[in-house]
Amino acid sequence: MLSDLSIRDVVLIDRLDLDFGSGLAVLTGETGAGKSILLDSLGLALGRRGDARLVRPDADRATVVAGFAPPEGHPVWALLAEHEIEPEDRLTLKRVLSADGRSKAFINDAPCGVGLLKQVGETLVEIQGQFDQQGLMDSATHIRLLDSYGRLDDARARTKEAHGIWRAAMKKLEDARAGAAQARAEEEFLRFSVEELDQLAPKPGEEADLAAKRTMLQNAEQIVEALTAALEEIGGGEGAESRVGAAQRTLDRVAAKAEGRLDPALAALDRASVEIEEALAALNRAGAEMDGGDSDVETIEERLFALRDVARKHKVEVDALPALRDTLGERLSLLDAGEERIAALDKEAARTREAYLEAARTLSEDRRRTAEALDRAVNAELPPLKLEKARFETQQDMLDESAWGPRGIDKVAFRVQTNPGMPAGPLDKIASGGELSRFLLAIKVCLAEVGTIPTLVFDEVDSGVGGATAAAVGERLDRLARRVQLLVVTHSPQVAARGADHWRVAKAERDGHMSTAVERLSDEQRREEIARMLSGAEITDEARAAADRLREGVRA
């Protein structure tokens, strides 16, 4: 609930500090005393639009701080956690409005955007009045209020879950259809590319092998010359092979006489002879491979360039061509099998749509029964509020399929008929200012048990009524205040007599300028204020006696 409100330099208020308790608090005062300034100030702290004209003429800025004590589990705590604002024992909303129209917002002294301040404020306070467009005046809230009144949380949760499953199935179907359409558009390209890659049959690492062979063959003449020279040096008439053989024969003739001393040398020469033979064989093989090199270069280059051309066309490396062929082949296979998959997904989407519709229709029927109960309850409240010819109705229409959502298939709006034979319409279009406030009061009384907003503000809910009707308004405000904190701006003594707290707003000249002050009234002061409201400018003993009777009747 709202625990305190501090106002600095707002219009006629230079400095004001108020603290509030639970139950019904009434604010009274002469017309023009500044009661609307209090509501404008509270609205600033709640994130409503700021206007530079709200800054007191001789001040640089206006400041409003509202303190709250929300109960544990209230939605505001989750909202603050979502925006990483640390919870404290109390919650403060602060707004600073400069004379140039710029403003700053704070939550628990942490800077924040005005948008977040407004979000937080809407969970804490609801202001109902002729010119307010939040709360019941916003038709977007009606379906939530109806569901809360009927305690339809479970049915709504089932509908939301079924909607999510249906939308997920539709997403898969849409993606598959889009993929198939794209595949069909490029089918010719896919088939040509797969055929081209199959004919080319690229192998991993082939580019490096071909490049190495190409480099070697391009230098074939030099290599052949070197091979020829090497063969001549090793195997020629005076080459290494001939000389090693001669050395072996020479040593063999005297080996027996050396008593084994030449054996290591002979063994080494044997090994050298074998290595020379292997070297000659390797040189001959290399020479054979170099034979006809011009034609091999052309073949290798043709293959290498073909691989590189295809790789450039697909914007991949040559080594990635084998994997690319597999990918393109899979896409082609999906195209061939796509119709079956799409048919299966279409069937699943239809099944989940029917499951969602079943849940939504059940919720819709629950809403219909709830709407009938709410209509009966609200209409029962109207006659005592001098709205005996008016009717309240909950209009429930089925949305187009394109608008179906997690909340179901219904559009819900509260509508009123002020006179028999006239068409029903939206609250703010049909009802006059006084009627509208009383309609809002009747609805709020019926919805009090299911609301989550702890503080309600009514601005002149008793406008245009008196006597028994004003007493009925006061009785309903009193009843509503047992469930929520209620602040009421009133000109009705019957309503004022119901207040647990009574504040008087007065305007007076001070230090050469007009200033608005707010005073919490004592018991005797309340008697005088209610008497003033009954009699006018001159307070008579009869008015005081009537005030006493009003207050005694309330206490009884």
Side-chain angles (χ1 to χ4, degrees), residues 202-426:
K203 299 177 182 61
E206 187 177 3
E207 181 186 25
D209 292 341
L210 290 173
K213 288 180 181 179
R214 176 171 172 260
T215 299
M216 182 184 71
L217 292 176
Q218 285 176 335
N219 296 284
E221 185 176 349
Q222 288 179 279
I223 295 171
V224 168
E225 288 178 359
L227 286 173
T228 301
L231 284 169
E232 182 63 28
E233 291 293 338
I234 295 173
E238 294 296 327
E241 182 181 25
S242 175
R243 291 180 181 180
V244 168
Q248 283 178 306
R249 291 191 294 274
T250 300
L251 292 177
D252 279 339
R253 286 196 292 268
V254 297
K257 299 175 182 179
E259 296 182 351
R261 290 182 175 84
L262 299 179
D263 291 348
L266 287 168
L269 288 171
D270 286 339
R271 291 194 299 274
S273 178
V274 172
E275 293 292 337
I276 288 171
E277 288 178 2
E278 291 181 359
L280 285 170
L283 289 171
N284 285 321
R285 285 196 301 274
E289 290 175 2
M290 301 304 297
D291 192 24
D294 290 342
S295 61
D296 285 342
V297 168
E298 291 179 7
T299 301
I300 289 171
E301 287 185 339
E302 182 179 348
R303 173 74 176 172
L304 183 61
F305 295 157
L307 289 169
R308 288 175 174 173
D309 285 344
V310 172
R312 274 196 300 273
K313 182 169 67 176
H314 291 283
K315 298 179 181 179
V316 298
E317 298 293 330
V318 171
D319 284 344
L321 288 176
L324 175 66
R325 192 271 171 234
D326 292 340
T327 300
L328 297 180
E330 289 174 5
R331 287 168 61 184
L332 199 56
S333 298
L334 286 175
L335 177 62
D336 294 336
E339 292 304 320
E340 292 182 9
R341 182 169 181 268
I342 288 173
L345 290 174
D346 190 45
K347 185 176 180 181
E348 178 64 11
R351 185 192 68 77
T352 55
R353 178 183 180 276
E354 284 304 310
Y356 165 71
L357 261 181
E358 183 179 354
R361 284 169 178 155
T362 299
L363 175 60
S364 186
E365 182 60 24
D366 290 343
R367 283 174 175 154
R368 186 189 62 77
R369 288 192 293 268
T370 299
E372 291 174 354
L374 178 61
D375 292 352
R376 286 194 300 270
V378 174
N379 285 318
E381 294 289 333
L382 298 181
L385 296 174
K386 204 177 179 181
L387 295 169
E388 59 277 355
K389 294 182 180 180
R391 296 292 297 170
F392 171 85
E393 66 178 44
T394 303
Q395 181 173 313
Q396 182 177 347
D397 298 313
M398 186 173 180
L399 294 165
D400 293 334
E401 184 168 346
S402 60
W404 292 356
R407 298 190 302 182
I409 58 177
D410 301 313
K411 179 181 180 181
V412 172
F414 298 153
R415 299 168 70 84
V416 297
Q417 178 192 53
T418 54
N419 292 292
M422 297 297 291

Side-chain angles (χ1 to χ4, degrees), residues 114-297:
V114 175
L116 176 58
L117 190 73
K118 186 172 186 290
Q119 276 186 278
V120 171
E122 287 176 349
T123 71
L124 298 169
V125 179
E126 186 174 303
I127 300 177
Q128 297 290 359
Q130 183 175 353
F131 304 107
D132 291 291
Q133 296 301 316
Q134 69 168 121
L136 289 171
M137 301 291 282
D138 182 1
S139 61
T141 67
H142 295 176
I143 192 168
R144 175 182 56 79
L145 292 170
L146 181 66
D147 290 348
S148 296
Y149 184 75
R151 291 176 169 80
L152 305 180
D153 293 347
D154 290 344
R156 186 162 169 155
R158 286 192 295 270
T159 301
K160 180 178 180 181
E161 181 182 10
H163 180 265
I165 294 171
W166 173 42
R167 292 315 306 168
M170 284 300 299
K171 179 69 166 55
K172 288 182 180 179
L173 176 60
E174 290 163 3
D175 288 348
R177 284 174 172 167
Q182 182 180 359
R184 279 192 292 272
E186 60 182 11
E187 180 178 3
E188 184 177 348
F189 167 76
L190 283 174
R191 295 196 185 280
F192 172 81
S193 297
V194 169
E195 183 178 349
E196 181 182 44
L197 288 168
D198 283 344
Q199 290 177 354
L200 194 60
K203 299 177 182 61
E206 187 177 3
E207 181 186 25
D209 292 341
L210 290 173
K213 288 180 181 179
R214 176 171 172 260
T215 299
M216 182 184 71
L217 292 176
Q218 285 176 335
N219 296 284
E221 185 176 349
Q222 288 179 279
I223 295 171
V224 168
E225 288 178 359
L227 286 173
T228 301
L231 284 169
E232 182 63 28
E233 291 293 338
I234 295 173
E238 294 296 327
E241 182 181 25
S242 175
R243 291 180 181 180
V244 168
Q248 283 178 306
R249 291 191 294 274
T250 300
L251 292 177
D252 279 339
R253 286 196 292 268
V254 297
K257 299 175 182 179
E259 296 182 351
R261 290 182 175 84
L262 299 179
D263 291 348
L266 287 168
L269 288 171
D270 286 339
R271 291 194 299 274
S273 178
V274 172
E275 293 292 337
I276 288 171
E277 288 178 2
E278 291 181 359
L280 285 170
L283 289 171
N284 285 321
R285 285 196 301 274
E289 290 175 2
M290 301 304 297
D291 192 24
D294 290 342
S295 61
D296 285 342
V297 168

Side-chain angles (χ1 to χ4, degrees), residues 384-385 438 441 461-462 465 468-478 495:
L385 296 174
R438 282 174 278 146
L441 175 59
V461 66
D462 47 23
V465 299
T469 303
V473 169
E475 188 275 329
R476 278 152 182 79
L477 289 170
D478 192 15
V495 172

Side-chain angles (χ1 to χ4, degrees), residues 421-487:
M422 297 297 291
L427 288 166
D428 58 339
K429 302 298 182 184
I430 299 299
S432 65
E435 291 174 330
L436 176 60
S437 295
R438 282 174 278 146
F439 266 117
L440 296 177
L441 175 59
I443 299 169
K444 273 298 178 185
V445 167
C446 296
L447 294 175
E449 291 185 1
V450 299
T452 62
I453 297 177
T455 301
L456 300 180
V457 178
F458 277 93
D459 185 10
E460 299 188 3
V461 66
D462 47 23
S463 176
V465 299
T469 303
V473 169
E475 188 275 329
R476 278 152 182 79
L477 289 170
D478 192 15
R479 196 194 322 164
L480 185 57
R482 296 168 196 169
R483 296 186 177 93
V484 296
Q485 182 189 41
L486 203 57
L487 276 64

